[in-house]
Amino acid sequence: MQKDLRVHIAPVGYETMRVTEPLIQQRADKVYLISHNRDDKHAKEHLQKIDAELKDKHESIEIECIHLNFWDLYECIEEFRDIILKEKENRIY
């Protein structure tokens, strides 16, 4: 695992630019896109738009999608904790 990467955790809603602009401007090396539900048709469309825009404007970024229940606070905390522990050698935004 590389060290000192710029790793972002970005909850995905229905605003594409809210997610993509900071990643592009801050030259993220890796992003964890957090989505509410794997079966949500609208969320899936936005994930695809975000993925396409990032690959178009910032092709070197590593993208990892994670699906969880946003309304379950403990599940969110646990997943964010796991990401932070996994990426502890990097800068996390």
Side-chain angles (χ1 to χ4, degrees):
M1 177 183 288
Q2 288 184 312
K3 292 184 178 183
D4 207 30
L5 298 175
R6 293 175 299 266
V7 177
H8 290 242
I9 300 171
V12 175
Y14 299 119
E15 316 88 13
T16 304
M17 287 181 61
R18 179 190 57 79
V19 175
T20 58
E21 289 302 311
L23 298 172
I24 294 166
Q25 289 174 359
Q26 296 176 14
R27 297 185 325 241
D29 297 304
K30 183 175 184 177
V31 63
Y32 288 89
L33 297 175
I34 311 294
S35 179
H36 177 65
N37 185 345
R38 186 180 307 272
D39 299 325
D40 184 343
K41 184 177 107 175
H42 297 293
K44 190 173 189 176
E45 290 173 13
H46 286 281
L47 279 171
Q48 290 171 342
K49 285 181 188 178
I50 290 167
D51 187 54
E53 184 168 342
L54 290 175
K55 286 181 179 172
D56 181 47
K57 294 183 179 177
H58 190 42
E59 61 190 39
S60 65
I61 191 169
E62 182 181 343
I63 302 168
E64 190 167 327
C65 294
I66 295 174
H67 302 278
L68 54 80
N69 180 2
F70 279 159
W71 301 112
D72 184 341
L73 177 62
Y74 295 108
E75 184 178 352
C76 292
I77 291 171
E78 186 175 318
E79 187 63 46
F80 284 35
R81 177 188 172 275
D82 291 345
I83 293 169
I84 291 166
L85 288 174
K86 181 179 176 183
E87 300 292 344
K88 66 184 175 186
E89 301 294 326
N90 298 308
R91 291 178 276 158
I92 302 171
Y93 300 89

mmCIF file of all heavy atoms in Angstrom, residues 14-44:
data_model
loop_
_atom_site.group_PDB
_atom_site.id
_atom_site.type_symbol
_atom_site.label_atom_id
_atom_site.label_comp_id
_atom_site.label_asym_id
_atom_site.label_seq_id
_atom_site.Cartn_x
_atom_site.Cartn_y
_atom_site.Cartn_z
ATOM 1 N N TYR A 14 -27.573 13.142 -4.774
ATOM 2 C CA TYR A 14 -27.991 13.410 -6.140
ATOM 3 C C TYR A 14 -27.290 14.619 -6.727
ATOM 4 O O TYR A 14 -27.701 15.155 -7.736
ATOM 5 C CB TYR A 14 -29.512 13.582 -6.188
ATOM 6 C CG TYR A 14 -30.239 12.345 -5.721
ATOM 7 C CD1 TYR A 14 -31.082 12.376 -4.629
ATOM 8 C CD2 TYR A 14 -30.037 11.136 -6.365
ATOM 9 C CE1 TYR A 14 -31.728 11.227 -4.198
ATOM 10 C CE2 TYR A 14 -30.676 9.984 -5.939
ATOM 11 C CZ TYR A 14 -31.526 10.034 -4.857
ATOM 12 O OH TYR A 14 -32.155 8.899 -4.435
ATOM 13 N N GLU A 15 -26.200 15.072 -6.084
ATOM 14 C CA GLU A 15 -25.442 16.218 -6.576
ATOM 15 C C GLU A 15 -24.079 15.734 -7.059
ATOM 16 O O GLU A 15 -23.220 15.426 -6.251
ATOM 17 C CB GLU A 15 -25.219 17.267 -5.475
ATOM 18 C CG GLU A 15 -26.407 17.571 -4.623
ATOM 19 C CD GLU A 15 -26.532 16.640 -3.422
ATOM 20 O OE1 GLU A 15 -25.582 15.915 -3.095
ATOM 21 O OE2 GLU A 15 -27.603 16.624 -2.826
ATOM 22 N N THR A 16 -23.893 15.684 -8.338
ATOM 23 C CA THR A 16 -22.655 15.178 -8.911
ATOM 24 C C THR A 16 -21.480 16.109 -8.636
ATOM 25 O O THR A 16 -20.425 15.661 -8.192
ATOM 26 C CB THR A 16 -22.823 14.985 -10.433
ATOM 27 O OG1 THR A 16 -23.934 14.120 -10.658
ATOM 28 C CG2 THR A 16 -21.592 14.373 -11.051
ATOM 29 N N MET A 17 -21.662 17.396 -8.853
ATOM 30 C CA MET A 17 -20.552 18.346 -8.699
ATOM 31 C C MET A 17 -20.083 18.476 -7.251
ATOM 32 O O MET A 17 -18.918 18.738 -7.002
ATOM 33 C CB MET A 17 -20.947 19.719 -9.246
ATOM 34 C CG MET A 17 -21.001 19.753 -10.762
ATOM 35 S SD MET A 17 -21.450 21.377 -11.409
ATOM 36 C CE MET A 17 -20.126 22.381 -10.788
ATOM 37 N N ARG A 18 -20.979 18.290 -6.281
ATOM 38 C CA ARG A 18 -20.589 18.364 -4.876
ATOM 39 C C ARG A 18 -19.528 17.310 -4.563
ATOM 40 O O ARG A 18 -18.656 17.508 -3.736
ATOM 41 C CB ARG A 18 -21.799 18.164 -3.952
ATOM 42 C CG ARG A 18 -21.431 18.204 -2.469
ATOM 43 C CD ARG A 18 -22.566 17.761 -1.577
ATOM 44 N NE ARG A 18 -23.089 16.448 -1.841
ATOM 45 C CZ ARG A 18 -22.517 15.311 -1.448
ATOM 46 N NH1 ARG A 18 -21.371 15.326 -0.798
ATOM 47 N NH2 ARG A 18 -23.071 14.150 -1.705
ATOM 48 N N VAL A 19 -19.583 16.209 -5.273
ATOM 49 C CA VAL A 19 -18.620 15.126 -5.065
ATOM 50 C C VAL A 19 -17.390 15.319 -5.950
ATOM 51 O O VAL A 19 -16.257 15.232 -5.478
ATOM 52 C CB VAL A 19 -19.275 13.754 -5.351
ATOM 53 C CG1 VAL A 19 -18.256 12.634 -5.246
ATOM 54 C CG2 VAL A 19 -20.444 13.516 -4.392
ATOM 55 N N THR A 20 -17.593 15.608 -7.220
ATOM 56 C CA THR A 20 -16.469 15.607 -8.161
ATOM 57 C C THR A 20 -15.547 16.817 -8.042
ATOM 58 O O THR A 20 -14.329 16.672 -8.166
ATOM 59 C CB THR A 20 -16.962 15.514 -9.617
ATOM 60 O OG1 THR A 20 -17.847 16.610 -9.882
ATOM 61 C CG2 THR A 20 -17.663 14.192 -9.866
ATOM 62 N N GLU A 21 -16.106 18.001 -7.814
ATOM 63 C CA GLU A 21 -15.278 19.217 -7.790
ATOM 64 C C GLU A 21 -14.161 19.165 -6.744
ATOM 65 O O GLU A 21 -13.006 19.430 -7.071
ATOM 66 C CB GLU A 21 -16.142 20.463 -7.613
ATOM 67 C CG GLU A 21 -16.971 20.806 -8.832
ATOM 68 C CD GLU A 21 -16.137 21.038 -10.080
ATOM 69 O OE1 GLU A 21 -15.162 21.802 -10.020
ATOM 70 O OE2 GLU A 21 -16.464 20.435 -11.117
ATOM 71 N N PRO A 22 -14.448 18.836 -5.474
ATOM 72 C CA PRO A 22 -13.352 18.768 -4.496
ATOM 73 C C PRO A 22 -12.309 17.710 -4.851
ATOM 74 O O PRO A 22 -11.113 17.906 -4.623
ATOM 75 C CB PRO A 22 -14.053 18.410 -3.187
ATOM 76 C CG PRO A 22 -15.475 18.780 -3.376
ATOM 77 C CD PRO A 22 -15.746 18.632 -4.842
ATOM 78 N N LEU A 23 -12.751 16.610 -5.418
ATOM 79 C CA LEU A 23 -11.810 15.542 -5.775
ATOM 80 C C LEU A 23 -10.860 16.001 -6.882
ATOM 81 O O LEU A 23 -9.659 15.721 -6.838
ATOM 82 C CB LEU A 23 -12.569 14.296 -6.226
ATOM 83 C CG LEU A 23 -13.474 13.654 -5.169
ATOM 84 C CD1 LEU A 23 -14.309 12.554 -5.799
ATOM 85 C CD2 LEU A 23 -12.661 13.135 -4.009
ATOM 86 N N ILE A 24 -11.395 16.713 -7.851
ATOM 87 C CA ILE A 24 -10.580 17.207 -8.961
ATOM 88 C C ILE A 24 -9.680 18.348 -8.498
ATOM 89 O O ILE A 24 -8.476 18.347 -8.759
ATOM 90 C CB ILE A 24 -11.482 17.631 -10.138
ATOM 91 C CG1 ILE A 24 -12.194 16.400 -10.724
ATOM 92 C CG2 ILE A 24 -10.668 18.350 -11.209
ATOM 93 C CD1 ILE A 24 -13.337 16.722 -11.652
ATOM 94 N N GLN A 25 -10.254 19.312 -7.783
ATOM 95 C CA GLN A 25 -9.479 20.474 -7.346
ATOM 96 C C GLN A 25 -8.367 20.098 -6.374
ATOM 97 O O GLN A 25 -7.282 20.674 -6.413
ATOM 98 C CB GLN A 25 -10.405 21.507 -6.692
ATOM 99 C CG GLN A 25 -11.313 22.195 -7.670
ATOM 100 C CD GLN A 25 -12.320 23.102 -6.982
ATOM 101 O OE1 GLN A 25 -12.366 23.206 -5.768
ATOM 102 N NE2 GLN A 25 -13.143 23.764 -7.788
ATOM 103 N N GLN A 26 -8.634 19.147 -5.488
ATOM 104 C CA GLN A 26 -7.639 18.762 -4.487
ATOM 105 C C GLN A 26 -6.785 17.582 -4.937
ATOM 106 O O GLN A 26 -6.018 17.034 -4.161
ATOM 107 C CB GLN A 26 -8.333 18.456 -3.164
ATOM 108 C CG GLN A 26 -9.019 19.668 -2.591
ATOM 109 C CD GLN A 26 -9.797 19.340 -1.329
ATOM 110 O OE1 GLN A 26 -9.644 18.287 -0.721
ATOM 111 N NE2 GLN A 26 -10.640 20.273 -0.914
ATOM 112 N N ARG A 27 -6.941 17.195 -6.192
ATOM 113 C CA ARG A 27 -6.148 16.130 -6.811
ATOM 114 C C ARG A 27 -6.104 14.856 -5.953
ATOM 115 O O ARG A 27 -5.047 14.352 -5.591
ATOM 116 C CB ARG A 27 -4.745 16.626 -7.117
ATOM 117 C CG ARG A 27 -4.718 17.745 -8.114
ATOM 118 C CD ARG A 27 -3.318 18.138 -8.496
ATOM 119 N NE ARG A 27 -2.379 18.022 -7.398
ATOM 120 C CZ ARG A 27 -1.678 19.016 -6.889
ATOM 121 N NH1 ARG A 27 -1.783 20.201 -7.381
ATOM 122 N NH2 ARG A 27 -0.842 18.815 -5.887
ATOM 123 N N ALA A 28 -7.285 14.359 -5.638
ATOM 124 C CA ALA A 28 -7.396 13.141 -4.840
ATOM 125 C C ALA A 28 -6.722 11.982 -5.556
ATOM 126 O O ALA A 28 -6.770 11.878 -6.784
ATOM 127 C CB ALA A 28 -8.856 12.819 -4.576
ATOM 128 N N ASP A 29 -6.093 11.122 -4.780
ATOM 129 C CA ASP A 29 -5.493 9.911 -5.336
ATOM 130 C C ASP A 29 -6.461 8.734 -5.286
ATOM 131 O O ASP A 29 -6.402 7.822 -6.103
ATOM 132 C CB ASP A 29 -4.229 9.543 -4.544
ATOM 133 C CG ASP A 29 -3.167 10.617 -4.660
ATOM 134 O OD1 ASP A 29 -2.786 10.947 -5.798
ATOM 135 O OD2 ASP A 29 -2.727 11.124 -3.612
ATOM 136 N N LYS A 30 -7.338 8.769 -4.283
ATOM 137 C CA LYS A 30 -8.288 7.681 -4.092
ATOM 138 C C LYS A 30 -9.543 8.246 -3.453
ATOM 139 O O LYS A 30 -9.483 9.179 -2.658
ATOM 140 C CB LYS A 30 -7.672 6.618 -3.168
ATOM 141 C CG LYS A 30 -8.520 5.401 -2.945
ATOM 142 C CD LYS A 30 -7.758 4.364 -2.124
ATOM 143 C CE LYS A 30 -8.557 3.093 -1.968
ATOM 144 N NZ LYS A 30 -7.783 2.074 -1.234
ATOM 145 N N VAL A 31 -10.696 7.665 -3.810
ATOM 146 C CA VAL A 31 -11.956 8.107 -3.207
ATOM 147 C C VAL A 31 -12.807 6.883 -2.874
ATOM 148 O O VAL A 31 -12.856 5.919 -3.630
ATOM 149 C CB VAL A 31 -12.732 9.077 -4.118
ATOM 150 C CG1 VAL A 31 -13.145 8.430 -5.428
ATOM 151 C CG2 VAL A 31 -13.942 9.641 -3.391
ATOM 152 N N TYR A 32 -13.424 6.958 -1.715
ATOM 153 C CA TYR A 32 -14.439 5.988 -1.321
ATOM 154 C C TYR A 32 -15.778 6.681 -1.519
ATOM 155 O O TYR A 32 -16.092 7.639 -0.818
ATOM 156 C CB TYR A 32 -14.276 5.589 0.145
ATOM 157 C CG TYR A 32 -13.084 4.718 0.412
ATOM 158 C CD1 TYR A 32 -11.847 5.281 0.703
ATOM 159 C CD2 TYR A 32 -13.191 3.329 0.383
ATOM 160 C CE1 TYR A 32 -10.744 4.488 0.949
ATOM 161 C CE2 TYR A 32 -12.086 2.525 0.634
ATOM 162 C CZ TYR A 32 -10.875 3.113 0.915
ATOM 163 O OH TYR A 32 -9.778 2.314 1.165
ATOM 164 N N LEU A 33 -16.540 6.224 -2.505
ATOM 165 C CA LEU A 33 -17.868 6.775 -2.759
ATOM 166 C C LEU A 33 -18.867 5.959 -1.948
ATOM 167 O O LEU A 33 -19.003 4.755 -2.150
ATOM 168 C CB LEU A 33 -18.212 6.703 -4.245
ATOM 169 C CG LEU A 33 -17.312 7.516 -5.184
ATOM 170 C CD1 LEU A 33 -17.688 7.247 -6.632
ATOM 171 C CD2 LEU A 33 -17.401 8.999 -4.857
ATOM 172 N N ILE A 34 -19.524 6.626 -1.008
ATOM 173 C CA ILE A 34 -20.457 5.947 -0.114
ATOM 174 C C ILE A 34 -21.872 6.189 -0.628
ATOM 175 O O ILE A 34 -22.329 7.331 -0.724
ATOM 176 C CB ILE A 34 -20.340 6.488 1.336
ATOM 177 C CG1 ILE A 34 -18.888 6.524 1.803
ATOM 178 C CG2 ILE A 34 -21.240 5.688 2.268
ATOM 179 C CD1 ILE A 34 -18.215 5.199 1.950
ATOM 180 N N SER A 35 -22.560 5.112 -0.974
ATOM 181 C CA SER A 35 -23.912 5.200 -1.515
ATOM 182 C C SER A 35 -24.874 4.458 -0.600
ATOM 183 O O SER A 35 -24.511 3.481 0.055
ATOM 184 C CB SER A 35 -23.953 4.592 -2.919
ATOM 185 O OG SER A 35 -25.250 4.649 -3.447
ATOM 186 N N HIS A 36 -26.110 4.933 -0.579
ATOM 187 C CA HIS A 36 -27.091 4.381 0.353
ATOM 188 C C HIS A 36 -27.517 2.965 -0.005
ATOM 189 O O HIS A 36 -27.502 2.091 0.845
ATOM 190 C CB HIS A 36 -28.315 5.289 0.432
ATOM 191 C CG HIS A 36 -29.396 4.750 1.306
ATOM 192 N ND1 HIS A 36 -29.238 4.585 2.664
ATOM 193 C CD2 HIS A 36 -30.642 4.313 1.026
ATOM 194 C CE1 HIS A 36 -30.336 4.077 3.179
ATOM 195 N NE2 HIS A 36 -31.204 3.910 2.206
ATOM 196 N N ASN A 37 -27.890 2.722 -1.208
ATOM 197 C CA ASN A 37 -28.519 1.443 -1.528
ATOM 198 C C ASN A 37 -28.078 0.982 -2.913
ATOM 199 O O ASN A 37 -28.211 1.711 -3.877
ATOM 200 C CB ASN A 37 -30.044 1.622 -1.476
ATOM 201 C CG ASN A 37 -30.803 0.350 -1.662
ATOM 202 O OD1 ASN A 37 -30.264 -0.657 -2.107
ATOM 203 N ND2 ASN A 37 -32.075 0.375 -1.326
ATOM 204 N N ARG A 38 -27.584 -0.216 -2.989
ATOM 205 C CA ARG A 38 -27.108 -0.780 -4.252
ATOM 206 C C ARG A 38 -28.227 -0.841 -5.308
ATOM 207 O O ARG A 38 -27.975 -0.746 -6.497
ATOM 208 C CB ARG A 38 -26.556 -2.176 -3.992
ATOM 209 C CG ARG A 38 -25.910 -2.837 -5.168
ATOM 210 C CD ARG A 38 -25.387 -4.222 -4.846
ATOM 211 N NE ARG A 38 -24.515 -4.249 -3.699
ATOM 212 C CZ ARG A 38 -23.184 -4.060 -3.729
ATOM 213 N NH1 ARG A 38 -22.607 -3.824 -4.875
ATOM 214 N NH2 ARG A 38 -22.462 -4.118 -2.639
ATOM 215 N N ASP A 39 -29.476 -0.992 -4.870
ATOM 216 C CA ASP A 39 -30.589 -1.175 -5.807
ATOM 217 C C ASP A 39 -31.306 0.120 -6.180
ATOM 218 O O ASP A 39 -32.254 0.093 -6.954
ATOM 219 C CB ASP A 39 -31.609 -2.150 -5.205
ATOM 220 C CG ASP A 39 -31.001 -3.514 -4.943
ATOM 221 O OD1 ASP A 39 -30.139 -3.934 -5.739
ATOM 222 O OD2 ASP A 39 -31.362 -4.139 -3.937
ATOM 223 N N ASP A 40 -30.863 1.246 -5.639
ATOM 224 C CA ASP A 40 -31.496 2.536 -5.933
ATOM 225 C C ASP A 40 -31.093 2.984 -7.343
ATOM 226 O O ASP A 40 -29.932 3.284 -7.605
ATOM 227 C CB ASP A 40 -31.069 3.568 -4.895
ATOM 228 C CG ASP A 40 -31.747 4.915 -5.072
ATOM 229 O OD1 ASP A 40 -32.296 5.172 -6.154
ATOM 230 O OD2 ASP A 40 -31.707 5.701 -4.114
ATOM 231 N N LYS A 41 -32.062 3.016 -8.247
ATOM 232 C CA LYS A 41 -31.803 3.340 -9.655
ATOM 233 C C LYS A 41 -31.201 4.737 -9.817
ATOM 234 O O LYS A 41 -30.269 4.948 -10.571
ATOM 235 C CB LYS A 41 -33.098 3.212 -10.453
ATOM 236 C CG LYS A 41 -32.943 3.430 -11.935
ATOM 237 C CD LYS A 41 -34.258 3.207 -12.646
ATOM 238 C CE LYS A 41 -34.802 4.540 -13.065
ATOM 239 N NZ LYS A 41 -36.019 4.474 -13.869
ATOM 240 N N HIS A 42 -31.734 5.723 -9.088
ATOM 241 C CA HIS A 42 -31.248 7.099 -9.201
ATOM 242 C C HIS A 42 -29.828 7.230 -8.646
ATOM 243 O O HIS A 42 -28.993 7.917 -9.222
ATOM 244 C CB HIS A 42 -32.193 8.071 -8.506
ATOM 245 C CG HIS A 42 -33.557 8.099 -9.116
ATOM 246 N ND1 HIS A 42 -33.781 8.575 -10.387
ATOM 247 C CD2 HIS A 42 -34.751 7.686 -8.651
ATOM 248 C CE1 HIS A 42 -35.059 8.458 -10.675
ATOM 249 N NE2 HIS A 42 -35.671 7.920 -9.639
ATOM 250 N N ALA A 43 -29.574 6.577 -7.517
ATOM 251 C CA ALA A 43 -28.232 6.629 -6.932
ATOM 252 C C ALA A 43 -27.228 5.973 -7.881
ATOM 253 O O ALA A 43 -26.110 6.461 -8.056
ATOM 254 C CB ALA A 43 -28.209 5.938 -5.577
ATOM 255 N N LYS A 44 -27.624 4.890 -8.505
ATOM 256 C CA LYS A 44 -26.742 4.191 -9.441
ATOM 257 C C LYS A 44 -26.390 5.097 -10.625
ATOM 258 O O LYS A 44 -25.239 5.133 -11.067
ATOM 259 C CB LYS A 44 -27.420 2.907 -9.929
ATOM 260 C CG LYS A 44 -26.523 1.987 -10.699
ATOM 261 C CD LYS A 44 -27.250 0.680 -10.992
ATOM 262 C CE LYS A 44 -26.300 -0.325 -11.555
ATOM 263 N NZ LYS A 44 -26.911 -1.629 -11.773
#
